[in-house]
Amino acid sequence: MSIEAKPTCVVADDHPPVLESISRYLGANGYRVVGRARDGEEAVRLVEAQRPSLALIDLRMPGLGGTAAIRRVVRTTPQTSCLVYSGFGDSALLTEALDAGARGFVLKDAPLETLVRALETVAGGGMYIDPALADVLIRATPGRELGLTVRERDVLRLLADGHSNESIGRELFISPD
C-alpha cells in the first residue's frame, strides 16, 4: 500500500526563530520544506524556482510584504497555493490577503496543529480561515457593518471549521465555485 506524500512547501518569515521552528515542525509532520525566505522577494524567487504545492507567507516582512508576494506568486506560479501565517489578524488584513489570492490565513498564536490542518485543507483544494478571524468577520463591530449576508456568514463558519469548498457546497446547496 503506498502512502501519499505530503505536499512541498516554501516558508517565508522575517524572524529566524519562527522560520526555523515552523520549518522543523512541518518537516516533522511529513511536509518537505523546499525553501526558506526572510522576505517577500526571496519567497517569490523560491516559489518560482521550486514550484512547491504550498507557500506559507508572513504578511509583515521587509521589502516586498506578504500580500504583494502572494499576488505575484498567484500570478506567476498559480499551481502554488498561498497561506498567510501572521501574528497580525483583523478583518482588513484578512480581506487584503484573500483579495491577493491567499487560500488560507492562520494566526501565529494558534496551536501548531491548526497550521497543519490549514495546510491539509488548502492542499486538498479548500480554503482555511483561522476561527478567531472568522469570528472577527462575522461579528460586525458597532457602527461598522461588514455587509455579510446570512449565507456568507454560514460559509465563513464552515471555512473556519476546515470544510472544503465541495463540502460547503453540499451542505449549503450551493456551487463549490
Side-chain angles (χ1 to χ4, degrees):
M1 172 163 93
S2 101
I3 297 173
E4 193 172 314
K6 297 264 184 170
T8 55
C9 188
V10 165
V11 179
D13 195 293
D14 62 326
H15 292 94
V18 173
L19 186 60
E20 178 64 28
S21 64
I22 292 303
S23 297
R24 255 188 289 142
Y25 184 80
L26 293 178
N29 280 278
Y31 289 86
R32 193 163 57 94
V33 177
V34 296
R36 298 176 187 181
R38 294 200 45 199
D39 62 53
E41 285 288 347
E42 187 179 12
V44 171
R45 280 194 303 275
L46 284 169
V47 168
E48 290 173 346
Q50 297 294 325
R51 307 263 186 220
S53 307
L54 302 162
L56 185 62
I57 300 176
D58 187 16
L59 286 181
R60 298 204 177 155
M61 296 183 288
L64 185 68
T67 302
I70 291 167
R71 234 181 236 104
R72 284 187 38 198
V73 166
V74 167
R75 188 178 70 247
T76 64
T77 318
Q79 70 273 23
T80 299
S81 296
C82 296
L83 288 89
V84 171
Y85 188 60
S86 180
F88 303 95
D90 62 36
S91 60
L93 288 173
L94 174 60
T95 301
E96 186 178 311
L98 294 176
D99 287 346
R103 304 283 302 156
F105 199 120
V106 179
L107 293 171
K108 286 182 179 178
D109 62 359
L112 288 174
E113 296 81 20
T114 300
L115 178 59
V116 169
R117 182 176 179 195
L119 289 166
E120 289 171 351
T121 299
V122 171
M127 288 187 72
Y128 187 92
I129 307 297
D130 191 295
L133 288 172
D135 288 345
V136 165
L137 284 178
I138 291 168
R139 288 186 323 257
T141 55
R144 181 170 175 249
E145 195 55 46
L146 292 177
L148 296 176
T149 66
V150 171
R151 179 62 58 132
E152 289 167 330
R153 290 171 193 241
D154 290 341
V155 169
L156 280 174
R157 280 190 190 97
L158 291 169
L159 280 173
D161 287 340
H163 288 266
S164 69
N165 292 354
E166 289 74 25
S167 69
I168 291 170
R170 281 191 304 274
E171 186 160 328
L172 299 177
F173 303 103
I174 59 175
S175 168
D177 298 326

